[in-house]
Amino acid sequence: MKCLILAAGYATRLYPLTENFPKPLLKIGDKTILDWLIDDIDGSGLVDGYVVISNHKFARHFEEWAARKSVDITVVDDGTSTNETRLGAVRDIQFAIDRLGLDDDMLVIAGDNVLDFSLQKFVRYAYEKKTSCIMRYFEPDEKRLIKCGIVQVDASDRILGMEEKPAQPKSNWCCPPFYYYTKADARLVPAGIAAGCGTDAPGSYIAWLCTQTPVHAMEMPGSRYDIGNLESYRKVSETYHGITR
């Protein structure tokens, strides 16, 4: 299985910290955000290669970081240099698949979140389901719901429908940016793009995919810490203590 890490954004809301430095390499405690994620995932023994998808502006920073890691990490430069010319998450995924000739099961994650639980639980859940999978958490605040990917599920966790940033959310289940694609479903990314799925938010591909084939949604067993602006970065830096469950 390969792990694709979405890290081609420009994090404009974190300026000046990220004006010339990538958000995923900001420190939380004694590790970068990416170190927290990869060190956890690698403990599963199920991933045999990591791909960091960067923009051109920050690729060098990721390459220098990857050279210090003991795991197999490839940095892919998507060629963009500004927030206005970014490809969007789904096109970045396809770019990496095409560039590296990837044909494998894939764990696809955003590189700017930290978790207080192990992602190994999610990988094992997906292996048990034998389908593409996402995670979900209950969000009571409607103001937050309209800014997220919202999913409806049945009693077996199968997705009945998913929508990105809906004006009228049909459930309280939000989807964080962590996804598992089977090899067969990873091959369908071009078909999803051709069919008109959104390409900016990574969940847009899943919203299309669940209309084509079974996809399941695991209830998140802990909390996610999204670092979206300077205040949230300060707060997470002060309160995050790693995986506790």
PDB file of all heavy atoms in Angstrom, residues 85-103:
ATOM      1  N   THR A  85      -3.104  29.293  -8.895  1.00  0.00           N
ATOM      2  CA  THR A  85      -2.869  28.329  -9.980  1.00  0.00           C
ATOM      3  C   THR A  85      -2.822  26.884  -9.468  1.00  0.00           C
ATOM      4  O   THR A  85      -2.491  25.974 -10.231  1.00  0.00           O
ATOM      5  CB  THR A  85      -1.548  28.644 -10.705  1.00  0.00           C
ATOM      6  OG1 THR A  85      -0.462  28.593  -9.762  1.00  0.00           O
ATOM      7  CG2 THR A  85      -1.592  30.020 -11.341  1.00  0.00           C
ATOM      8  N   ARG A  86      -3.152  26.642  -8.204  1.00  0.00           N
ATOM      9  CA  ARG A  86      -3.083  25.289  -7.648  1.00  0.00           C
ATOM     10  C   ARG A  86      -3.993  24.338  -8.433  1.00  0.00           C
ATOM     11  O   ARG A  86      -5.029  24.748  -8.977  1.00  0.00           O
ATOM     12  CB  ARG A  86      -3.467  25.299  -6.172  1.00  0.00           C
ATOM     13  CG  ARG A  86      -4.920  25.614  -5.884  1.00  0.00           C
ATOM     14  CD  ARG A  86      -5.148  25.794  -4.374  1.00  0.00           C
ATOM     15  NE  ARG A  86      -6.554  25.976  -4.047  1.00  0.00           N
ATOM     16  CZ  ARG A  86      -7.192  27.142  -4.128  1.00  0.00           C
ATOM     17  NH1 ARG A  86      -6.531  28.227  -4.514  1.00  0.00           N
ATOM     18  NH2 ARG A  86      -8.475  27.229  -3.813  1.00  0.00           N
ATOM     19  N   LEU A  87      -3.618  23.079  -8.465  1.00  0.00           N
ATOM     20  CA  LEU A  87      -4.385  22.090  -9.222  1.00  0.00           C
ATOM     21  C   LEU A  87      -5.651  21.657  -8.509  1.00  0.00           C
ATOM     22  O   LEU A  87      -6.634  21.295  -9.150  1.00  0.00           O
ATOM     23  CB  LEU A  87      -3.519  20.838  -9.478  1.00  0.00           C
ATOM     24  CG  LEU A  87      -2.257  21.009 -10.318  1.00  0.00           C
ATOM     25  CD1 LEU A  87      -1.582  19.649 -10.512  1.00  0.00           C
ATOM     26  CD2 LEU A  87      -2.574  21.639 -11.661  1.00  0.00           C
ATOM     27  N   GLY A  88      -5.635  21.670  -7.192  1.00  0.00           N
ATOM     28  CA  GLY A  88      -6.723  21.112  -6.400  1.00  0.00           C
ATOM     29  C   GLY A  88      -6.365  19.687  -5.992  1.00  0.00           C
ATOM     30  O   GLY A  88      -5.593  18.991  -6.667  1.00  0.00           O
ATOM     31  N   ALA A  89      -6.924  19.234  -4.887  1.00  0.00           N
ATOM     32  CA  ALA A  89      -6.501  17.968  -4.291  1.00  0.00           C
ATOM     33  C   ALA A  89      -6.699  16.765  -5.210  1.00  0.00           C
ATOM     34  O   ALA A  89      -5.826  15.901  -5.309  1.00  0.00           O
ATOM     35  CB  ALA A  89      -7.253  17.750  -2.980  1.00  0.00           C
ATOM     36  N   VAL A  90      -7.841  16.681  -5.873  1.00  0.00           N
ATOM     37  CA  VAL A  90      -8.119  15.492  -6.698  1.00  0.00           C
ATOM     38  C   VAL A  90      -7.193  15.445  -7.912  1.00  0.00           C
ATOM     39  O   VAL A  90      -6.664  14.383  -8.271  1.00  0.00           O
ATOM     40  CB  VAL A  90      -9.598  15.446  -7.127  1.00  0.00           C
ATOM     41  CG1 VAL A  90      -9.873  14.224  -7.996  1.00  0.00           C
ATOM     42  CG2 VAL A  90     -10.509  15.426  -5.902  1.00  0.00           C
ATOM     43  N   ARG A  91      -6.956  16.582  -8.528  1.00  0.00           N
ATOM     44  CA  ARG A  91      -6.020  16.611  -9.656  1.00  0.00           C
ATOM     45  C   ARG A  91      -4.587  16.346  -9.194  1.00  0.00           C
ATOM     46  O   ARG A  91      -3.782  15.752  -9.937  1.00  0.00           O
ATOM     47  CB  ARG A  91      -6.118  17.933 -10.414  1.00  0.00           C
ATOM     48  CG  ARG A  91      -7.431  18.114 -11.158  1.00  0.00           C
ATOM     49  CD  ARG A  91      -7.394  19.284 -12.115  1.00  0.00           C
ATOM     50  NE  ARG A  91      -8.683  19.493 -12.756  1.00  0.00           N
ATOM     51  CZ  ARG A  91      -9.137  18.801 -13.800  1.00  0.00           C
ATOM     52  NH1 ARG A  91      -8.388  17.839 -14.311  1.00  0.00           N
ATOM     53  NH2 ARG A  91     -10.317  19.060 -14.317  1.00  0.00           N
ATOM     54  N   ASP A  92      -4.252  16.772  -7.981  1.00  0.00           N
ATOM     55  CA  ASP A  92      -2.934  16.447  -7.447  1.00  0.00           C
ATOM     56  C   ASP A  92      -2.767  14.945  -7.247  1.00  0.00           C
ATOM     57  O   ASP A  92      -1.694  14.384  -7.507  1.00  0.00           O
ATOM     58  CB  ASP A  92      -2.708  17.169  -6.106  1.00  0.00           C
ATOM     59  CG  ASP A  92      -2.044  18.529  -6.281  1.00  0.00           C
ATOM     60  OD1 ASP A  92      -1.230  18.670  -7.213  1.00  0.00           O
ATOM     61  OD2 ASP A  92      -2.329  19.434  -5.487  1.00  0.00           O
ATOM     62  N   ILE A  93      -3.816  14.286  -6.769  1.00  0.00           N
ATOM     63  CA  ILE A  93      -3.769  12.830  -6.611  1.00  0.00           C
ATOM     64  C   ILE A  93      -3.522  12.166  -7.960  1.00  0.00           C
ATOM     65  O   ILE A  93      -2.661  11.286  -8.097  1.00  0.00           O
ATOM     66  CB  ILE A  93      -5.077  12.317  -5.971  1.00  0.00           C
ATOM     67  CG1 ILE A  93      -5.175  12.800  -4.517  1.00  0.00           C
ATOM     68  CG2 ILE A  93      -5.154  10.792  -6.041  1.00  0.00           C
ATOM     69  CD1 ILE A  93      -6.565  12.647  -3.914  1.00  0.00           C
ATOM     70  N   GLN A  94      -4.267  12.580  -8.970  1.00  0.00           N
ATOM     71  CA  GLN A  94      -4.092  12.000 -10.294  1.00  0.00           C
ATOM     72  C   GLN A  94      -2.709  12.310 -10.857  1.00  0.00           C
ATOM     73  O   GLN A  94      -2.081  11.464 -11.510  1.00  0.00           O
ATOM     74  CB  GLN A  94      -5.171  12.503 -11.257  1.00  0.00           C
ATOM     75  CG  GLN A  94      -5.146  11.820 -12.620  1.00  0.00           C
ATOM     76  CD  GLN A  94      -5.318  10.319 -12.503  1.00  0.00           C
ATOM     77  OE1 GLN A  94      -6.186   9.839 -11.789  1.00  0.00           O
ATOM     78  NE2 GLN A  94      -4.465   9.553 -13.191  1.00  0.00           N
ATOM     79  N   PHE A  95      -2.207  13.518 -10.587  1.00  0.00           N
ATOM     80  CA  PHE A  95      -0.870  13.908 -11.052  1.00  0.00           C
ATOM     81  C   PHE A  95       0.181  12.953 -10.493  1.00  0.00           C
ATOM     82  O   PHE A  95       1.059  12.471 -11.224  1.00  0.00           O
ATOM     83  CB  PHE A  95      -0.575  15.342 -10.612  1.00  0.00           C
ATOM     84  CG  PHE A  95       0.769  15.855 -11.048  1.00  0.00           C
ATOM     85  CD1 PHE A  95       0.931  16.434 -12.298  1.00  0.00           C
ATOM     86  CD2 PHE A  95       1.879  15.759 -10.217  1.00  0.00           C
ATOM     87  CE1 PHE A  95       2.175  16.902 -12.707  1.00  0.00           C
ATOM     88  CE2 PHE A  95       3.122  16.225 -10.612  1.00  0.00           C
ATOM     89  CZ  PHE A  95       3.271  16.801 -11.863  1.00  0.00           C
ATOM     90  N   ALA A  96       0.092  12.665  -9.184  1.00  0.00           N
ATOM     91  CA  ALA A  96       1.072  11.773  -8.550  1.00  0.00           C
ATOM     92  C   ALA A  96       0.955  10.348  -9.086  1.00  0.00           C
ATOM     93  O   ALA A  96       1.962   9.667  -9.334  1.00  0.00           O
ATOM     94  CB  ALA A  96       0.888  11.784  -7.034  1.00  0.00           C
ATOM     95  N   ILE A  97      -0.287   9.866  -9.263  1.00  0.00           N
ATOM     96  CA  ILE A  97      -0.492   8.518  -9.803  1.00  0.00           C
ATOM     97  C   ILE A  97       0.136   8.400 -11.186  1.00  0.00           C
ATOM     98  O   ILE A  97       0.840   7.430 -11.492  1.00  0.00           O
ATOM     99  CB  ILE A  97      -1.998   8.189  -9.852  1.00  0.00           C
ATOM    100  CG1 ILE A  97      -2.555   8.000  -8.426  1.00  0.00           C
ATOM    101  CG2 ILE A  97      -2.244   6.936 -10.685  1.00  0.00           C
ATOM    102  CD1 ILE A  97      -4.065   7.867  -8.366  1.00  0.00           C
ATOM    103  N   ASP A  98      -0.099   9.406 -12.025  1.00  0.00           N
ATOM    104  CA  ASP A  98       0.442   9.375 -13.385  1.00  0.00           C
ATOM    105  C   ASP A  98       1.966   9.516 -13.382  1.00  0.00           C
ATOM    106  O   ASP A  98       2.665   8.797 -14.106  1.00  0.00           O
ATOM    107  CB  ASP A  98      -0.174  10.490 -14.224  1.00  0.00           C
ATOM    108  CG  ASP A  98      -1.645  10.266 -14.529  1.00  0.00           C
ATOM    109  OD1 ASP A  98      -2.119   9.122 -14.363  1.00  0.00           O
ATOM    110  OD2 ASP A  98      -2.320  11.232 -14.922  1.00  0.00           O
ATOM    111  N   ARG A  99       2.471  10.443 -12.603  1.00  0.00           N
ATOM    112  CA  ARG A  99       3.911  10.712 -12.595  1.00  0.00           C
ATOM    113  C   ARG A  99       4.713   9.491 -12.137  1.00  0.00           C
ATOM    114  O   ARG A  99       5.777   9.192 -12.694  1.00  0.00           O
ATOM    115  CB  ARG A  99       4.204  11.909 -11.682  1.00  0.00           C
ATOM    116  CG  ARG A  99       5.687  12.222 -11.468  1.00  0.00           C
ATOM    117  CD  ARG A  99       6.409  12.586 -12.745  1.00  0.00           C
ATOM    118  NE  ARG A  99       5.884  13.791 -13.351  1.00  0.00           N
ATOM    119  CZ  ARG A  99       6.328  15.031 -13.045  1.00  0.00           C
ATOM    120  NH1 ARG A  99       7.272  15.193 -12.137  1.00  0.00           N
ATOM    121  NH2 ARG A  99       5.817  16.071 -13.653  1.00  0.00           N
ATOM    122  N   LEU A 100       4.199   8.786 -11.127  1.00  0.00           N
ATOM    123  CA  LEU A 100       4.946   7.671 -10.543  1.00  0.00           C
ATOM    124  C   LEU A 100       4.461   6.305 -11.030  1.00  0.00           C
ATOM    125  O   LEU A 100       5.033   5.285 -10.646  1.00  0.00           O
ATOM    126  CB  LEU A 100       4.855   7.735  -9.018  1.00  0.00           C
ATOM    127  CG  LEU A 100       5.410   9.013  -8.377  1.00  0.00           C
ATOM    128  CD1 LEU A 100       5.193   8.981  -6.863  1.00  0.00           C
ATOM    129  CD2 LEU A 100       6.893   9.185  -8.703  1.00  0.00           C
ATOM    130  N   GLY A 101       3.412   6.291 -11.851  1.00  0.00           N
ATOM    131  CA  GLY A 101       2.883   5.023 -12.332  1.00  0.00           C
ATOM    132  C   GLY A 101       2.341   4.157 -11.207  1.00  0.00           C
ATOM    133  O   GLY A 101       2.517   2.934 -11.205  1.00  0.00           O
ATOM    134  N   LEU A 102       1.661   4.770 -10.248  1.00  0.00           N
ATOM    135  CA  LEU A 102       1.175   4.047  -9.072  1.00  0.00           C
ATOM    136  C   LEU A 102      -0.015   3.156  -9.440  1.00  0.00           C
ATOM    137  O   LEU A 102      -0.912   3.577 -10.169  1.00  0.00           O
ATOM    138  CB  LEU A 102       0.758   5.025  -7.980  1.00  0.00           C
ATOM    139  CG  LEU A 102       1.850   5.980  -7.456  1.00  0.00           C
ATOM    140  CD1 LEU A 102       1.260   6.923  -6.407  1.00  0.00           C
ATOM    141  CD2 LEU A 102       3.020   5.200  -6.874  1.00  0.00           C
ATOM    142  N   ASP A 103      -0.012   1.949  -8.920  1.00  0.00           N
ATOM    143  CA  ASP A 103      -1.125   1.018  -9.128  1.00  0.00           C
ATOM    144  C   ASP A 103      -1.190   0.128  -7.891  1.00  0.00           C
ATOM    145  O   ASP A 103      -0.678  -0.992  -7.882  1.00  0.00           O
ATOM    146  CB  ASP A 103      -0.901   0.192 -10.394  1.00  0.00           C
ATOM    147  CG  ASP A 103      -2.121  -0.644 -10.770  1.00  0.00           C
ATOM    148  OD1 ASP A 103      -3.250  -0.236 -10.421  1.00  0.00           O
ATOM    149  OD2 ASP A 103      -1.936  -1.708 -11.391  1.00  0.00           O
TER     150      ASP A 103
END
